[in-house]
Amino acid sequence: MQDFSSASNDQLPFFFQQLEELFLFDIEQAYVASCALLARCKQMELSALQLTKMQLLHSKMLWGKGQYHAALYAITQTLKKIQNNSLFELKAEAYLWRGQCNLNLKRHVIAVEDFTYAVELALEYSQISIAIESYVNISQIYYFAEQYDASKEILVIGYRLAVLLNDHKQITKSGIFLSNYLNESGDHASALYILNQIESSALQYGDMTWVVEAGINIASAYAGMNENELAEVYFESMLAISNFNHALWAKSLTMLKYGEFLTHQNRFEEAIACLKVAVEGINQFDYGNARQKSAKLLLNAYKHIGDFKSALCEIKKYKQLSESLLSNHLLHDLKGSALNLSRLDRSRKKIIKTRQNFEHMLDLISPGESRIRYQQFKLKCLSSTCSIEIIHIQLLGLLYVTGLYLQKMNALLREYCLAESTWTKLPNFSYLIIPDQTYASPMMALNQLVKIIDGFPWRWHGLNPPEVKIQLIPLQSAIELLSPLEEGGQKIELLI
């Protein structure tokens, strides 16, 4: 471990960064190192900003260790110092972590308000990553409260902002939560689409637990689509990654989901072996939900192999965990409390407002523009003559779509379609354009677009020039490409 006894002011930014990186891979070492550096900082003559940053970072380490009460106290004291010293640029992060602590302490409504305030502060100081992380946490609380539409709406906001900002950490986190939601709701194809998009970001960010969680969700999506061989390959691969990285929680989560998969395959003895392995990490990290699920799966498996003594033991565990979860469940606090429900709804309205402000501030896709553009394009197709030709653009050879590609293509097409041209986005990074009538022919419009895309300085923006396929297609073919997006319009938001 680094010796901090002679650390100087100039070295602190480097040490802070080291602690942040260590936090991802080994919380025990990170906590010990944080204690040592905090002790050294108290011996030094530091600015209020540096000392407060150190105290905020140490609060995060306490949270990572599971010492939620201690972390909440430390963050509360840090917030007082932020206020007294007018260090308002640290305020959003402090409220984010206070919300995390309150969430872990099951103070759900207070946590939502902390996260919402963190979003508002992040907007003021352009701290988009903090806002996205807050959105993801808020969505989970609405999910616990069985307000599923609000939960999904907030998740999509966070994911869209993360993609458009090209923030690998938040793309990974928001994508994992969104794909999990889609899997749980039975939309496995959309879940798989999201997971394929975040794969590169997960690897670049480097938190192997998140890589494993993404892989587990891919396996679950394939299982939901009856692609059982592929699902099993992913489960086995995630188990190997977890073992190699000594990631106990990732391993336990893999074995729990794998055990569930094997149960559905009627491979009960294999399922029991997996679920038994999962117990160690589940008991250490989980608040009860995963333990309850494990007990239910074991109960079912033991019944099918005729081991009724073990099944009875799991029934007792399941009943005990169910009673404990019910007493701590968010709905238990909300029932009969119009005030708390009102507070949640008030926070949701603030969140939607901040989403609009973020998008305008970043000059991204304006609220609802994609949906409106899609409807306008569809109406124009339906009112056009059958002889009209549509430009179909496909960007090929991209293993994944980054936020920068999306931003640049949106900007290019906005510039190209300044007159009467109409365009919309399709899945798999393709677009449709009805060219402006001022062009002498559709082919002339196509050639002009090819020049614009080929002439764009992709490498200057850190992007490889995409392989572009641009062709003219009949009106009916364009309408057929639009038709898969008609499922209530919900796919459009996910494809932006």
Side-chain angles (χ1 to χ4, degrees):
M1 188 179 71
Q2 179 75 43
D3 179 15
F4 298 114
S5 59
S6 59
S8 65
N9 287 11
D10 293 340
Q11 292 175 308
L12 284 182
F14 171 72
F15 289 146
F16 289 166
Q17 182 61 39
Q18 277 196 321
L19 285 178
E20 291 279 9
E21 292 173 2
L22 194 55
F23 179 82
L24 297 177
F25 297 102
D26 193 326
I27 184 57
E28 295 295 336
Q29 283 194 38
Y31 173 73
V32 172
S34 179
C35 289
L37 186 57
L38 178 62
R40 171 58 182 159
C41 285
K42 289 178 178 178
Q43 298 171 350
M44 300 162 64
E45 292 185 7
L46 297 180
S47 67
L49 178 61
Q50 285 179 311
L51 184 57
T52 306
K53 279 185 175 180
M54 179 66 242
Q55 290 168 329
L56 184 56
L57 184 56
H58 188 65
S59 301
K60 181 177 175 180
M61 301 299 167
L62 288 168
W63 174 85
K65 281 276 290 178
Q67 298 180 22
Y68 305 124
H69 285 286
L72 181 62
Y73 176 79
I75 290 170
T76 302
Q77 296 304 307
T78 303
L79 273 167
K80 290 178 181 177
K81 292 180 180 178
I82 290 171
Q83 191 68 35
N84 293 338
N85 293 284
S86 301
L87 303 172
F88 300 123
E89 67 272 25
L90 299 180
K91 206 170 182 180
E93 185 178 0
Y95 271 98
L96 167 65
W97 287 104
R98 199 176 88 164
Q100 292 274 21
C101 292
N102 279 317
L103 176 57
N104 290 116
L105 293 170
K106 296 183 170 58
R107 299 167 179 167
H108 297 97
V109 178
I110 298 172
V112 166
E113 291 174 343
D114 280 342
F115 290 134
T116 303
Y117 191 36
V119 169
E120 292 178 312
L121 289 165
L123 173 62
E124 186 176 347
Y125 290 96
S126 303
Q127 297 166 327
I128 317 298
S129 183
I130 291 173
I132 297 168
E133 192 151 355
S134 298
Y135 283 138
V136 173
N137 287 308
I138 292 166
S139 74
Q140 301 313 296
I141 298 173
Y142 281 94
Y143 189 87
F144 296 154
E146 298 182 4
Q147 297 189 23
Y148 301 121
D149 289 343
S151 175
K152 180 183 177 183
E153 181 181 26
I154 296 164
L155 269 176
V156 170
I157 292 170
Y159 178 70
R160 288 181 72 226
L161 284 173
V163 170
L164 291 165
L165 198 65
N166 202 34
D167 183 324
H168 295 303
K169 175 184 177 181
Q170 300 306 340
I171 288 172
T172 305
K173 184 171 183 176
S174 60
I176 287 170
F177 278 94
L178 179 55
S179 64
N180 187 58
Y181 178 96
L182 292 166
N183 269 333
E184 291 290 331
S185 59
D187 191 356
H188 305 295
S190 292
L192 197 57
Y193 176 88
I194 295 295
L195 290 160
N196 287 334
Q197 300 306 303
I198 72 170
E199 181 180 10
S200 175
S201 291
L203 293 171
Q204 287 191 56
Y205 181 56
D207 187 328
M208 296 314 295
T209 296
W210 284 7
V211 170
V212 170
E213 287 199 43
I216 294 169
N217 283 357
I218 291 173
S220 298
Y222 279 128
M225 298 164 69
N226 294 317
E227 299 269 3
N228 294 322
E229 289 186 9
L230 272 173
E232 195 152 1
V233 167
Y234 269 92
F235 279 126
E236 292 287 353
S237 299
M238 295 310 107
L239 178 59
I241 292 172
S242 302
N243 284 329
F244 182 80
N245 289 280
H246 307 289
L248 181 58
W249 169 241
K251 178 179 179 179
S252 298
L253 192 60
T254 303
M255 298 306 271
L256 177 63
K257 292 282 190 177
Y258 197 6
E260 183 179 21
F261 168 78
L262 292 169
T263 299
H264 292 317
Q265 298 291 306
N266 296 325
R267 295 158 61 181
F268 298 109
E269 291 186 353
E270 293 174 78
I272 289 169
C274 285
L275 294 167
K276 283 184 174 179
V277 172
V279 167
E280 181 184 358
I282 288 173
N283 288 343
Q284 181 173 335
F285 294 102
D286 182 58
Y287 308 121
N289 296 287
R291 283 182 288 165
Q292 184 191 37
K293 185 173 186 177
S294 174
K296 187 176 181 180
L297 289 168
L298 280 167
L299 164 61
N300 183 37
Y302 281 129
K303 279 172 59 181
H304 276 87
I305 66 171
D307 186 350
F308 299 109
K309 183 178 179 181
S310 296
L312 181 61
C313 178
E314 295 304 325
I315 287 175
K316 291 177 180 177
K317 286 182 190 176
Y318 182 77
K319 183 180 178 183
Q320 182 182 8
L321 287 164
S322 297
E323 290 172 352
S324 173
L325 285 173
L326 182 62
S327 66
N328 289 319
H329 197 274
L330 176 55
L331 284 181
H332 180 79
D333 297 329
L334 293 179
K335 283 179 180 176
S337 175
L339 173 62
N340 283 346
L341 285 170
S342 174
R343 287 165 68 182
L344 280 181
D345 190 55
R346 188 163 59 247
S347 293
R348 187 185 68 81
K349 289 175 181 176
K350 287 183 180 179
I351 292 158
I352 302 307
K353 176 63 178 172
T354 59
R355 173 255 186 112
Q356 296 169 353
N357 292 337
F358 269 125
E359 291 182 324
H360 284 304
M361 179 185 74
L362 294 170
D363 194 27
L364 303 176
I365 300 170
S366 60
E369 180 185 332
S370 60
R371 195 181 299 276
I372 293 168
R373 189 190 302 120
Y374 168 82
Q375 294 296 341
Q376 288 175 338
F377 189 92
K378 180 186 170 187
L379 287 172
K380 195 164 183 178
C381 282
L382 295 175
S383 63
S384 297
T385 62
C386 293
S387 61
I388 190 173
E389 290 184 295
I390 310 293
I391 298 176
H392 183 209
I393 307 173
Q394 294 171 282
L395 301 191
L396 309 174
L398 299 178
L399 298 178
Y400 60 94
V401 180
T402 72
L404 282 176
Y405 273 116
L406 291 169
Q407 286 181 31
K408 303 313 171 189
M409 278 304 298
N410 281 326
L412 286 176
L413 292 179
R414 278 204 188 94
E415 182 179 344
Y416 175 78
C417 299
L418 282 175
E420 295 300 318
S421 299
T422 305
W423 66 282
T424 192
K425 186 180 183 302
L426 298 174
N428 302 322
F429 216 25
S430 58
Y431 300 84
L432 292 174
I433 302 174
I434 301 175
D436 181 16
Q437 296 295 315
T438 58
Y439 287 104
S441 68
M443 183 55 70
M444 183 177 290
L446 184 149
N447 290 334
Q448 178 64 23
L449 182 60
V450 170
K451 288 180 182 179
I452 290 173
I453 295 175
D454 286 347
F456 185 79
W458 297 98
R459 295 193 187 281
W460 189 84
H461 292 277
L463 301 170
N464 290 321
E467 179 186 344
V468 184
K469 180 180 180 181
I470 306 183
Q471 59 184 331
L472 294 172
I473 62 173
L475 175 64
Q476 187 57 40
S477 297
I479 292 173
E480 288 172 4
L481 288 171
L482 289 174
S483 61
L485 303 181
E486 284 296 299
E487 300 171 19
Q490 62 187 20
K491 300 288 186 184
I492 302 167
E493 285 291 324
L494 294 176
L495 299 174
I496 295 169

